[in-house]
Every structure is written in C-alpha cells, then in structure tokens.
Amino acid sequence: MNNFTPFSALLGGVIIGLSVVFYFYMTGRLAGISGIFENAITKASQRLSNLAFLLGLVIGPLIYFNFIASSAPVAFNITHSYLLIIPGGFLVGFGTRLGGGCTSGHGICGIGRLSTSSIIATGIFVAIGMLTVAVLQQFGIYL
Amino acid sequence: MNDKIISLICGIIFGIGLVISGMTNPEKVIGFLSITHNWDASLIFVMGGAIITAGPFFYFLKNKELSALGDKINLPIKQNIDKKLIIGSSLFGIGWGLVGLCPGPAISALATFDPITLVFLISMAAGVLVKKNTIK
C-alpha cells in the first residue's frame, strides 16, 4: 500500500466533522456541499450564506498553504484531459443532485445520522467510483 | 449577518480539514478508488474521523427544534431508496472516478489557481442546472 497517510487523514476527518457539527448546531442545516452549491447557484434565499460557505472552502486551503504548511508544498495532481474533466464535472453535478447528496451530505452527515439511504448511496458511489478507476486503468489511465 | 459569518467560518474549517486529510488532491482520491492497484485506504480514515466526530452530536441534537441562531431545524425527510438515489449515486461515482474530485474538494481546489479546476466547476454547475431543469 503506497502513500498511506492514516494520521493526517484522521485529523483532517475530525476537523471536517467539527465543521459539520458546528454548522448544524448554529444554523440547523446540514453541511452537504453539493446541496450548498446547488442552492448558491439556483436559490435566492440564503444565497449569501451558501456563497460564504463556498468562499470559506477556498479560503481554508489558502490559510493552510500560507500560514500552516508553508514549508511543505501540498500535493495537487489532477488530470488535464478535458475528456475526463468535462464529463467528470458534469456527472458529479448531475449525479449528486439526482441522488440527493455527495461525500459530505450522504457520506458524513447521512451516515453520521445513521440514515439507511445515505449508507446505501455512499456504498454505491464508492463502488462505482472504484469500478470506474479499474476500467480507466484497463485503458492505461491512472496506473 | 451572523448566519453568513458562521457559514464562512464553517467553510474555512471544512476547507482546512479537506487539505489536511489529502482529499483535495485528486491523485490521493484516485489512489483510494484504485482498489486493485496500490490501494491507498487513507480516505476511509477521513470519512471515519468525520463520522465518529459528528455522529454523537447528531444523536444528542436530534430532538432540537431551533438552532443556536434561532432558525427552525429542518432535517431532510427520510429519503426513499429509489431509482433516483441509485442512478444519481452511480453517475456521481463515475464522475468521481473519472477525475478524483467530489464537490467539496472541487471548490477547495480553486485555491491551487490551476485553471483546470474552473473547467471542472463549470461542468459541475452545468450538471446541477441540467438536473434541476429536467427532473423535478
């Protein structure tokens, strides 16, 4: 197993969990990012709050890059193939809204609340994600 | 006003958590989805850490009617396990596997100033809007 980083993964996960809890406690809303994203671009009500959350998602990493981890560059390696990026982005947007949530909405908030549908949704998108990567690897992508 | 500041703070904390966890790096996510090839199980610890942290609070707060800011709490009504849930989650899984970005990290990735992240986000917005305007 290469690049296995359980400690930073766990620490990051706990911080994400604290954000989810604090957001719910203060606003009464669940921090499902695909829902926040949809509301920010389609709903007039609470648009500024939703945009503020999304802005925070960008500012957080900037704070981390510049003030916390300035010595160690944070890895960011992404495909630059439009054949993957454009259908990938579209399917993430369309699929999360059709399925009612993403990794945060179903995977963290939903499973955290022991919702059966969220547990099933998470199982599906993880399994299909794994299948997709396995198929791409057959074509020499992501080896 | 308060609501916006709280949202901003929560977004910042969430974003810092995403970077520390490694989820903002698509290569890391692909490593997790690559179950047959050098599998990197780290992402289980990200989700596990978040669920274990948030779960007990959700349990103890489940009967609360008002949030600390005084808004009515409306949790999603029980979602049916139907075609939408299954097909939607499957399509999301395909998109996630193609690039290694889900919605949160896709937005946080703007902080890298790599223009390709903007292409991904515009495509994602298009997917959201097409769904919104075709399926009720």
Side-chain angles (χ1 to χ4, degrees), chain A residues 27-133:
Chain A
T27 70
R29 300 194 295 273
L30 292 175
I33 311 291
S34 68
I36 291 175
F37 182 74
E38 174 179 310
N39 289 336
I41 62 174
T42 66
K43 261 201 195 131
S45 67
Q46 291 169 334
R47 171 166 282 163
L48 282 177
S49 294
N50 288 314
L51 284 173
F53 194 102
L54 300 182
L55 181 66
L57 284 179
V58 183
I59 295 176
L62 289 175
I63 291 174
Y64 185 78
F65 295 152
N66 291 297
F67 301 107
I68 303 174
S70 50
S71 59
V74 178
F76 181 72
N77 295 305
I78 186 171
T79 174
H80 280 75
S81 161
Y82 288 110
L83 286 175
L84 295 175
I85 291 283
I86 293 172
F90 186 89
L91 288 171
V92 167
F94 187 92
T96 51
R97 293 331 296 149
L98 184 63
C102 57
T103 331
S104 51
H106 277 314
I108 297 171
C109 299
I111 294 183
R113 296 173 55 230
L114 299 175
S115 147
T116 313
S117 56
S118 288
I119 293 168
I120 290 174
T122 306
I124 292 173
F125 62 69
V126 169
I128 300 286
M130 286 175 168
L131 186 67
T132 304
V133 169

Side-chain angles (χ1 to χ4, degrees), chain B residues 1-128:
Chain B
M1 192 59 192
N2 266 336
D3 189 56
K4 291 165 194 95
I5 292 169
I6 295 294
S7 297
L8 181 68
I9 292 169
C10 289
I12 291 173
I13 298 170
F14 200 112
I16 290 174
L18 281 177
V19 178
I20 291 176
S21 73
M23 287 271 286
T24 46
N25 183 10
E27 191 180 45
K28 186 93 181 149
V29 177
I30 297 288
F32 167 72
L33 295 176
S34 173
I35 192 136
T36 56
H37 238 279
N38 289 325
W39 188 46
D40 175 359
S42 310
L43 210 144
I44 292 176
F45 288 74
V46 183
M47 285 191 60
I51 291 167
I52 289 168
T53 305
F57 286 94
F58 281 132
Y59 182 78
F60 289 115
L61 296 174
K62 69 180 176 182
N63 293 322
K64 251 175 90 78
E65 285 175 2
L66 289 179
S67 73
L69 291 178
D71 293 306
K72 204 168 179 306
I73 293 178
N74 39 31
L75 287 169
I77 35 169
K78 207 161 181 273
Q79 195 181 356
N80 289 327
I81 298 154
D82 56 8
K83 263 195 284 190
K84 277 186 193 173
L85 182 93
I86 293 167
I87 296 172
S89 298
S90 301
L91 294 176
F92 166 40
I94 296 173
W96 198 31
L98 288 180
V99 179
L101 283 179
C102 52
I107 292 156
S108 286
L110 284 176
T112 63
F113 298 108
D114 183 335
I116 201 82
T117 60
L118 201 57
V119 179
F120 184 89
L121 267 189
I122 292 168
S123 310
M124 186 170 110
V128 170

